[in-house]
Amino acid sequence: MGGRLVNAPRQFLNLIDGQARPAASGEWIDSIDPATGQVWAQVPAGGAADIDDAVAAARRAFRTWRRTPAMQRAALLRALAAAFAEWSQSLAEIETRDNGRILTETTAGDLPAVVQMLHYWAGAADKIHGETVDIGPASINYVQREPIGVIGMIVPWNAPLAIFVAKAGAALAAGNTIVVKPPESASCSILEAAALFEKAGFPPGVMNVVAGLGSVAGDALAGHPDVGKIAFTGSTATAGAITARTASAIKPLSFELGGKSANIVFADADLDLATVGVTTAAIYTGGAGQACIAGSRILVQRPVYEEMIERIGRAAAAIRLGDPMDRATQMGPIALEGQYGKVRSYLDIGLDEGAEMVLGGGSGAELFEPGSALGGGYFVQPTLFAGVRPDMRIYREEIFGPVACIVPFDDEEEAIGMANDSPYGLACGLWTNQLKRAHRVAAGVDVGAVWINTYRRIHWALPFGGMKQSGYGRDSGMESLRGYQHTKSVWVDLT
Ligand code: NAD
């Protein structure tokens, strides 16, 4: 008799039309625990056949879901929020195991936020209003907001569940159905959560998930003619590939992409607050700086530049790297081997470019006792480069790891110019005790989110997204609902 081997990797399944299924090909992708480099799970290697089935199911489900009374959609979203609340601990553990972001962040941050997002969208579902437009007595003209249809969602590995739910809540509230393609290196939390939609009472086919490679399942989803919109979070390069793939299909796209955000410290700031704000809050995070909004460019006014380097050094030295499942750990590993290699390559690039590594630079087994299981993990020390020129790659390119550049500036105008001297435009932090300066700088920076005397704050009620190479379209907030709706203008002749 067959049976599961003891310690065999746990296998997660796709959900298509209410059925938990392996990939049609029968193939699997190994999911690696980045803290040890060991395989801990397997996810289906879905392909075009699975995407076809999922899109067909979502299309069928759309016919009735779009006509489901709004209050019923709201009630289902509330039930889904309750199901996520009930299962939040195990979902947080799965995500931490899969992508290495520390358990304290996934349990205290992501999962409570996911539950609140679903309540928020439940509240929105029965408040979708059209409008009438007065163009004269000869007609009645009204505008309806209608769901688009099947939404294809493609998400990255740094916070897959929260990024997915931010999109899914809005899409479902608006009356759309979903096919989501999770990231191949961290699919497990979304695959596990799929069962909660069934548990909450969603009809089969309203939410489908197909795991697989981006170049296979992601490509098939983006190119599918029956997918009405692609809502994507990930790298700018992949957004380009999706744009090319959908060029002749003419479908709306929304892109939440990368960043190289400036975190600006003025000499008048509370430097204790600013030190936390430019280190553990911004770049030396529980997810090892793998955040699109990471404050990877620290701009410091010259009078406090040297002092801030010392302060950052002291703060970084106190950060405890280790097992992300351990609640004492403050920074976990890089989520996957390829990204680990990329981050380490930037350490060499920075040195080759002539920057000065004033902090960190260590990685891998050298950070742990010999024989530690963590020696096989993808850890990188908090690292800081000084002596950076604005043309250097480490200053311009998104590294997506715990690596920052620190650069001095003299005045406000120069700081704004430096913040905007980037192909990206996602976020900006600024630290000052001058009220007028704070608002002037906030108005001057070309980004989608500004934090004043705080950093990396995201809320389901606030629109989130970028400018320039950081993308277009917004997640969260009522504005994002519009991204999942068509408007229809109806003209009733009265003559
Ligand atoms: P990625 O672009 O490599 O992958 C993202 C998703 O796209 C994955 O699911 C992947 O399988 C899929 N994909 C890859 N190639 C594809 C293709 N040809 N067609 C369709 N889908 C494809 O990004 P990543 O490395 O997983 O994530 C890191 C990036 O995501 C960083 O640039 C980061 O800044 C960005 N990010 C942005 C936000 C935001 O909200 N702005 C949030 C988190 C991460």
Side-chain angles (χ1 to χ4, degrees):
M1 260 181 57
R4 274 184 66 163
L5 294 172
V6 177
N7 293 330
R10 181 172 167 190
Q11 289 185 327
F12 291 81
L13 296 169
N14 287 334
L15 184 79
I16 299 174
D17 207 10
Q19 305 290 318
R21 297 180 7 184
S25 67
E27 288 174 10
W28 299 88
I29 297 170
D30 286 339
S31 216
I32 310 283
D33 176 346
T36 61
Q38 302 296 312
V39 177
W40 82 280
Q42 289 185 314
V43 302
D50 304 282
I51 293 290
D52 280 348
D53 286 353
V55 173
R59 263 195 102 188
R60 278 194 303 277
F62 180 63
R63 287 189 214 122
T64 43
W65 180 246
R66 70 175 307 178
R67 309 213 179 284
T68 301
M71 273 185 263
Q72 204 173 320
R73 289 206 303 271
L76 285 169
L77 283 163
R78 260 180 229 112
L80 185 62
F84 268 89
E86 188 184 341
W87 291 94
S88 63
Q89 181 64 28
S90 68
L91 288 169
E93 286 172 11
I94 288 169
E95 183 145 312
T96 290
R97 191 88 195 271
D98 219 14
N99 75 355
R101 200 146 67 83
I102 58 173
L103 193 61
T104 42
E105 282 196 9
T106 50
T107 49
D110 294 39
L111 267 298
V114 157
V115 172
Q116 290 308 320
M117 281 174 204
L118 290 167
H119 281 300
Y120 178 84
W121 288 116
D126 57 3
K127 295 168 196 71
I128 293 171
H129 303 151
E131 59 190 0
T132 56
V133 182
D134 183 358
I135 61 167
S139 61
I140 293 176
N141 296 76
Y142 60 91
V143 179
Q144 282 181 319
R145 300 196 185 284
E146 300 186 346
I148 292 174
V150 179
I151 309 293
M153 299 182 177
I154 302 177
V155 296
W157 37 259
N158 57 338
L161 194 55
I163 291 171
F164 160 59
V165 173
K167 297 181 194 306
L172 292 171
N176 299 281
T177 57
I178 295 170
V179 177
V180 55
K181 207 297 284 172
E184 49 266 52
S185 62
S187 296
C188 299
S189 56
I190 294 178
L191 292 171
E192 180 81 353
L196 301 183
F197 287 77
E198 301 288 297
K199 199 175 150 63
F202 278 80
V206 170
M207 206 297 279
N208 307 271
V209 49
V210 178
L213 296 177
S215 55
V216 180
D219 180 75
L221 183 59
H224 202 294
D226 292 334
V227 170
K229 172 185 173 158
I230 293 291
F232 173 77
T233 298
S235 64
T236 302
T238 304
I242 291 171
T243 305
R245 185 72 166 90
T246 56
S248 59
I250 319 291
K251 61 181 75 177
L253 305 170
S254 66
F255 287 147
E256 304 289 344
L257 310 177
K260 191 76 185 176
S261 298
N263 206 352
I264 309 170
V265 181
F266 288 94
D268 65 73
D270 176 331
L271 295 189
D272 289 339
L273 269 186
T275 303
V276 176
V278 301
T279 56
T280 50
I283 183 78
Y284 307 141
T285 60
Q290 298 164 97
C292 52
I293 48 177
S296 50
R297 295 186 299 144
I298 305 171
L299 312 182
V300 182
Q301 205 164 15
R302 210 173 292 276
V304 295
Y305 177 71
E306 295 297 338
E307 180 180 347
M308 281 304 291
I309 291 181
E310 278 170 35
R311 282 170 167 270
I312 292 169
R314 281 199 297 277
I319 294 171
R320 184 165 164 183
L321 267 73
D323 179 357
M325 302 296 277
D326 179 344
R327 289 186 176 271
T329 296
Q330 292 164 299
M331 186 191 286
I334 300 295
L336 61 155
E337 193 177 10
Q339 180 64 17
Y340 178 53
K342 180 180 161 190
V343 173
R344 294 208 302 177
S345 77
Y346 274 101
L347 304 181
D348 294 332
I349 290 168
L351 293 172
D352 290 346
E353 288 179 314
E356 184 193 353
M357 190 186 280
V358 290
L359 179 71
S363 63
E366 64 177 299
L367 303 177
F368 300 98
E369 296 289 322
S372 165
L374 301 178
Y378 310 141
F379 291 89
V380 177
Q381 266 182 330
T383 298
L384 185 67
F385 282 108
V388 176
R389 290 190 318 274
D391 62 328
M392 287 182 177
R393 289 182 60 194
I394 53 166
Y395 184 78
R396 304 203 74 75
E397 296 174 11
E398 183 186 48
I399 298 173
F400 218 58
V403 182
C405 297
I406 187 161
V407 185
F409 67 86
D410 288 305
D411 58 29
E412 199 177 296
E413 205 179 323
E414 189 187 8
I416 293 171
M418 288 164 72
N420 288 340
D421 178 23
S422 170
Y424 294 106
L426 193 55
C428 178
L430 59 112
W431 302 84
T432 178
N433 278 327
Q434 288 189 35
L435 185 66
K436 292 180 183 178
R437 160 175 284 164
H439 289 294
R440 280 195 303 265
V441 177
V445 288
D446 301 330
V447 296
V450 179
W451 296 292
I452 299 170
N453 295 328
T454 187
Y455 201 84
R456 208 162 59 103
R457 306 293 292 274
I458 295 180
H459 194 279
W460 46 90
L462 295 172
F464 177 78
M467 302 179 184
K468 303 193 280 187
Q469 299 284 297
S470 294
Y472 56 81
R474 293 290 179 264
D475 278 339
S476 303
M478 292 309 290
E479 188 181 332
S480 72
L481 195 65
R482 297 281 166 94
Y484 294 104
Q485 293 171 319
H486 286 311
T487 49
K488 180 182 282 176
S489 172
V490 180
W491 186 309
V492 186
D493 190 85
L494 297 182
T495 59

